[in-house]
Amino acid sequence: MTQPAGAGVPGLLESELESPSRIDEITDRLVTAIALGEYLPGARLPAERDLAAALKVGRMTVRAALARLVDRGLVETRRGRGGGSYVLQQWPESSTESVCRTLTMRLDELRDRCDAICRLHGAICRAAAESRSDRDIAVLQEHLAAYRRAESGLSAQQADSALHLAIIDAAHNDILKQVLLDLEASVSIGAPAHLWGEQVTMREMEMRALAEHEQLVGAIADGRGDDADALARAHVAIDFELISAAMRRAGVLTE
């Protein structure tokens, strides 16, 4: 009698053995996440188990996809303390076909999900303007200052994420927070950061974001809910602008 896939393999679940096409799909998604700046050079990728949970695949599939990224020179694996998978380069030409396949499949979905995220961020920032405490305002100012000091690239991306989480917390609504985080994870691979775009446009985007951060924190601190809502929607639209730019480079969009 033929054993099912995975039978007799210690520690390996049947669900972890997936088809080569599934590994191809996950490889493309990880390559695209790196190309779009979800994971910037120098960033550590989530652990295999976390990526597997975010992507809803087995760890062996993630491991196979990561091995392909290592072979392509996009990622290196480090051992020992502080080990893991680290991004080496963002978007070499060899990544373009993967980006094209991934974005072509998800174009309409990404547009709708990004629109929903903009609307939800607006609602949360309105709630923050209405519910923030003096302590919340102080925390927001601290994170805004940290973003202002951050170096371009990974440091700025991490400071941006910390600021946005502080804004979400200032709304004091755990349900809205979880809905937003789940929705953002459905757009991305599950990185705790917004898309950051390509090197050629990165600094311009960061400076634009700084000006918008200052306006948004000011509106929340002043209790101006309408302004906070509108500013947040416009600010978070940067993410789909970066996706659209990537689509044009990959040939998915021609205009």
Side-chain angles (χ1 to χ4, degrees):
M1 180 176 178
T2 303
Q3 289 184 315
V9 182
L12 190 59
L13 299 175
E14 182 176 346
S15 61
E16 290 181 317
L17 294 175
E18 304 194 49
S19 67
S21 62
R22 187 64 164 147
I23 297 172
D24 291 342
E25 177 192 344
I26 299 307
T27 301
D28 281 351
R29 287 189 63 178
L30 290 172
V31 169
T32 302
I34 292 171
L36 270 63
E38 187 173 344
Y39 304 110
L40 293 173
R44 179 182 177 178
L45 296 181
E48 286 180 3
R49 64 179 177 276
D50 295 329
L51 280 174
L55 294 163
K56 296 180 173 57
V57 295
R59 287 181 65 176
M60 294 301 293
T61 299
V62 169
R63 187 170 300 171
L66 289 174
R68 293 185 180 182
L69 266 61
V70 170
D71 290 342
R72 294 188 186 192
L74 294 175
V75 167
E76 69 173 358
T77 301
R78 302 177 190 172
R79 305 297 180 187
R81 188 184 180 104
S85 299
Y86 288 82
V87 178
L88 294 178
Q89 55 178 329
Q90 187 169 353
W91 191 337
E93 285 306 313
S94 59
S95 294
T96 300
E97 288 187 7
S98 291
V99 176
C100 183
R101 284 191 294 268
T102 300
L103 296 183
T104 297
M105 290 176 58
R106 301 189 69 195
L107 176 58
D108 291 337
E109 173 199 353
L110 284 171
R111 183 181 289 111
D112 288 347
R113 287 182 184 272
C114 286
D115 178 65
I117 287 171
C118 286
R119 294 175 185 274
L120 192 51
H121 265 286
I124 286 175
C125 288
R126 177 186 292 275
E130 295 170 351
S131 304
R132 82 285 182 272
S133 65
D134 289 343
R135 176 57 184 160
D136 291 326
I137 295 172
V139 170
L140 292 178
Q141 293 291 352
E142 290 170 6
H143 284 297
L144 180 59
Y147 181 85
R148 193 180 291 115
R149 294 191 304 267
E151 294 182 3
S152 180
L154 181 58
S155 293
Q157 184 186 45
Q158 292 170 339
D160 174 88
S161 292
L163 173 59
H164 280 281
L165 286 173
I167 291 172
I168 294 169
D169 287 339
H172 297 284
N173 188 313
D174 290 340
I175 301 301
L176 276 177
K177 177 179 181 178
Q178 193 57 55
V179 170
L180 176 60
L181 294 180
D182 288 345
L183 185 57
E184 288 185 334
S186 75
V187 172
S188 69
I189 303 298
H194 288 283
L195 300 178
W196 219 243
E198 297 182 67
Q199 289 289 337
V200 66
T201 59
M202 189 173 293
R203 191 55 183 163
E204 179 183 353
M205 182 276 295
E206 290 168 348
M207 297 307 296
R208 169 186 166 187
L210 174 59
E212 294 179 1
H213 286 159
E214 291 172 338
Q215 294 174 13
L216 182 55
V217 169
I220 292 171
D222 293 342
R224 293 182 280 114
D226 288 346
D227 289 344
D229 188 330
L231 287 166
R233 290 194 190 199
H235 174 63
V236 179
I238 290 176
D239 280 1
F240 194 72
E241 291 177 23
L242 295 174
I243 290 173
S244 297
M247 288 175 171
R248 286 190 290 272
R249 173 170 173 177
V252 180
L253 293 178
T254 57
E255 57 180 37

